[in-house]
């Protein structure tokens, strides 16, 4: 039997090249090997303020981009998190098993809440986010949860909660493996290459979006922050900007930055950036074309409905069993 894997993406903005290279590209490669569940985490997106119309649009755009990038809905279960109510329900049930101390220790909560201007109105949802994420995982009993380093602590909480629940109420949850990431890829911000490229970034010049047009891509890469040495050498610590562009190029070419250093030997940053931009455009153009076709075909809704049906079948069973264990029905 195939091993099961679950992964989510938060529709808090447009899909970035970081998402594509960090996770989407791998999922496309893994979809035949694993029993794969992919959800668009719109319930996580609302832990910070969202414009409803924009949220709906981002959710559908991300789902369509997964398909456009090559995810096959016949094999992969792709769905909107909010269309599987068991996520919210189990999230609540697990909240009752979690302490405020545990949630306060989550570094992502500390980081995100610190960024909010008004400290007196930090949303409770931001605080409780990890219990919802534990529910996302425990509902599907996956063997593998491909998360970035930033999510490691949350997977550990899911593991603690599963063990705690099983001890208290009897065997119910499969304990997810602690860290399960196959890839440690991190694409950095084009304007501040010491921080991760993020779809919720406030500086659009710093982020490459999957749907950016070629002219925009050329412009963003041309203005990406580098250094004054003008030598293309892979050195993430001292030359984070150039090294980030080399990482991007290497991933698109399925090789390592060290392997391709010689390609730009003796060339300046302009030549190098031109090559990187053209390679990104070559990879993104077919995805953008597929995306337009998916939108035109009107198939997205059917695919997401079918995905939700399949996910509901699995998740509903688990939440019903959990309710019974807790004496709720
Ligand atoms: P998020 O955009 O935070 O919802 O993350 C969705 C997935 O994309 C997660 O698996 C992240 O680890 C991955 N991801 C997001 N941004 C990047 C990035 N800049 N580089 C690599 N992976 C990323």
């Amino acid at each position: 039997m195939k091993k099961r894997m679950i992964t989510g993406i938060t529709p808090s903005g447009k899909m970035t090249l970081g998402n594509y290279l960090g996770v989407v590209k791998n999922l496309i490669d893994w979809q035949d090997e694993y029993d794969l569940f992919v959800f668009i985490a719109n319930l996580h997106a609302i832990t910070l303020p969202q414009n409803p119309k924009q949220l709906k649009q981002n959710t559908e755009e991300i789902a369509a981009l997964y398909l456009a990038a090559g995810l096959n809905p016949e094999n992969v279960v792709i769905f909107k998190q909010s269309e599987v109510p068991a996520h919210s329900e189990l999230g609540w049930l697990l909240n009752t098993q979690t302490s405020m101390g545990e949630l306060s220790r989550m570094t992502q909560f500390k980081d995100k809440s610190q960024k909010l201007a008004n400290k007196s109105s930090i949303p409770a949802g931001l605080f409780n986010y990890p219990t919802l994420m534990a529910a996302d995982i425990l509902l599907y009993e996956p063997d593998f949860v491909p998360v970035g380093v930033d999510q490691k602590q949350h997977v550990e909480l899911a593991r603690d909660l599963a063990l705690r629940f099983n001890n208290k109420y009897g065997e119910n949850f499969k304990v997810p493996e602690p860290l399960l990431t196959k890839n440690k890829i991190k694409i950095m911000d084009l304007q501040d290459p010491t921080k991760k490229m993020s779809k919720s970034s406030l500086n659009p010049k710093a982020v490459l979006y999957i749907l950016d047009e070629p002219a925009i891509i050329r412009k963003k890469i041309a203005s990406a922050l580098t250094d004054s040495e003008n030598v293309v050498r892979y050195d993430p610590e001292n030359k984070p900007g150039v090294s980030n562009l080399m990482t991007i190029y290497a991933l698109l070419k399925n090789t390592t930055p060290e392997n391709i250093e010689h390609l730009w030997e003796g060339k300046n940053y302009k030549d190098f950036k031109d090559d990187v931009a053209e390679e990104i455009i070559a990879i993104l153009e077919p995805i953008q074309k597929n995306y337009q076709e998916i939108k035109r075909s009107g198939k997205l809704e059917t695919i997401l409905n079918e995905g939700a049906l399949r996910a509901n079948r699995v998740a509903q069973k688990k939440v019903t069993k959990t309710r019974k264990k807790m004496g709720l029905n």
Side-chain angles (χ1 to χ4, degrees):
M1 216 166 76
K2 282 184 186 175
K3 295 213 163 171
R4 183 172 287 171
M5 174 148 79
I6 180 141
T7 179
I9 183 167
T10 315
S12 49
K14 310 260 170 213
M15 191 190 274
T16 71
L17 190 69
N19 295 133
Y20 177 72
L21 293 175
V23 64
V24 180
K25 193 169 170 276
N26 293 329
L27 294 181
I28 310 296
D29 293 340
W30 295 336
Q31 62 180 329
D32 295 325
E33 195 183 329
Y34 288 93
D35 175 23
L36 184 60
F37 284 71
V38 175
F39 64 98
I40 320 298
N42 51 1
L43 297 173
H44 285 291
I46 56 168
T47 54
L48 288 172
Q50 301 290 338
N51 169 308
K53 226 170 129 189
Q54 191 68 50
L55 176 63
K56 188 168 167 12
Q57 198 184 321
N58 287 341
T59 305
E60 280 157 18
E61 185 176 300
I62 286 180
L65 278 171
Y66 264 114
L67 302 171
L71 219 61
N72 177 357
E74 282 178 20
N75 297 334
V76 176
V77 180
I78 178 164
F79 61 100
K80 290 189 199 173
Q81 187 187 25
S82 59
E83 289 184 347
V84 180
H87 287 251
S88 305
E89 186 178 351
L90 186 61
W92 173 252
L93 299 181
L94 293 176
N95 248 323
T96 65
Q97 307 301 310
T98 312
S99 74
M100 289 182 51
E102 281 176 307
L103 294 174
S104 325
R105 285 193 290 276
M106 296 290 146
T107 51
Q108 208 178 63
F109 169 71
K110 289 190 216 162
D111 290 350
K112 287 192 178 175
S113 52
Q114 252 158 28
K115 280 187 199 142
L116 292 175
N118 187 352
K119 298 281 178 295
S120 61
S121 64
I122 295 169
L126 194 61
F127 186 65
N128 292 109
Y129 173 114
T131 53
L132 180 60
M133 184 165 157
D136 299 337
I137 297 171
L138 298 180
L139 281 173
Y140 298 90
E141 313 206 305
D143 301 284
F144 183 67
V145 186
V147 292
V149 224
D150 51 339
Q151 296 289 341
K152 184 174 174 234
Q153 219 185 358
H154 294 165
V155 179
E156 276 160 8
L157 178 73
R159 194 180 155 79
D160 290 347
L161 287 174
L163 286 167
R164 187 176 307 161
F165 191 100
N166 293 349
N167 281 335
K168 195 164 166 191
Y169 298 101
E171 202 57 30
N172 187 39
F173 293 119
K174 175 170 169 172
V175 181
E177 281 308 309
L179 191 58
L180 333 124
T181 191
K182 265 194 185 176
N183 85 81
K184 293 186 181 67
I185 294 157
K186 202 164 161 193
I187 304 302
M188 309 309 275
D189 186 286
L190 297 177
Q191 294 300 321
D192 177 0
T194 59
K195 68 174 200 203
K196 190 172 114 169
M197 181 184 283
S198 159
K199 60 173 122 63
S200 42
S201 166
L202 295 175
N203 180 0
K205 270 176 68 183
V207 183
L208 268 177
Y209 298 103
I210 302 300
L211 289 176
D212 277 347
E213 286 172 11
I216 305 278
I217 295 174
R218 289 189 187 104
K219 224 165 149 179
K220 287 185 180 174
I221 295 294
S223 63
L225 191 82
T226 48
D227 53 72
S228 54
E229 197 189 18
N230 217 3
V231 175
V232 185
R233 184 164 42 82
Y234 188 68
D235 179 354
E237 198 158 313
N238 300 308
K239 295 163 73 72
V242 170
S243 301
N244 185 39
L245 296 178
M246 291 177 82
T247 302
I248 293 173
Y249 190 89
L251 285 167
L252 295 173
K253 288 283 198 190
N254 280 324
T255 176
T256 63
E258 291 83 359
N259 269 348
I260 50 169
E261 228 175 55
H262 68 271
L263 256 182
W264 293 293
E265 220 178 300
K267 288 192 185 177
N268 60 26
Y269 285 171
K270 181 174 179 313
D271 296 334
F272 160 62
K273 284 178 163 179
D274 286 350
D275 283 358
V276 174
E278 293 316 310
E279 194 57 38
I280 296 172
I281 292 166
I283 298 285
L284 295 188
E285 263 188 335
I287 298 178
Q288 296 176 352
K289 214 171 126 231
N290 289 344
Y291 171 81
Q292 296 304 344
E293 262 170 43
I294 289 164
K295 278 197 71 177
R296 254 196 312 273
S297 75
K299 278 190 211 147
L300 184 65
E301 204 184 325
T302 319
I303 291 172
L304 289 175
N305 285 343
E306 175 63 23
L309 260 175
R310 287 163 73 189
N312 266 308
R313 246 178 259 144
V314 178
Q316 201 50 45
K317 243 191 229 160
K318 182 56 55 180
V319 82
T320 304
K321 195 171 162 207
T322 309
R323 245 191 262 130
K324 282 199 180 125
K325 292 265 184 201
M326 295 179 82
L328 295 167
N329 56 344

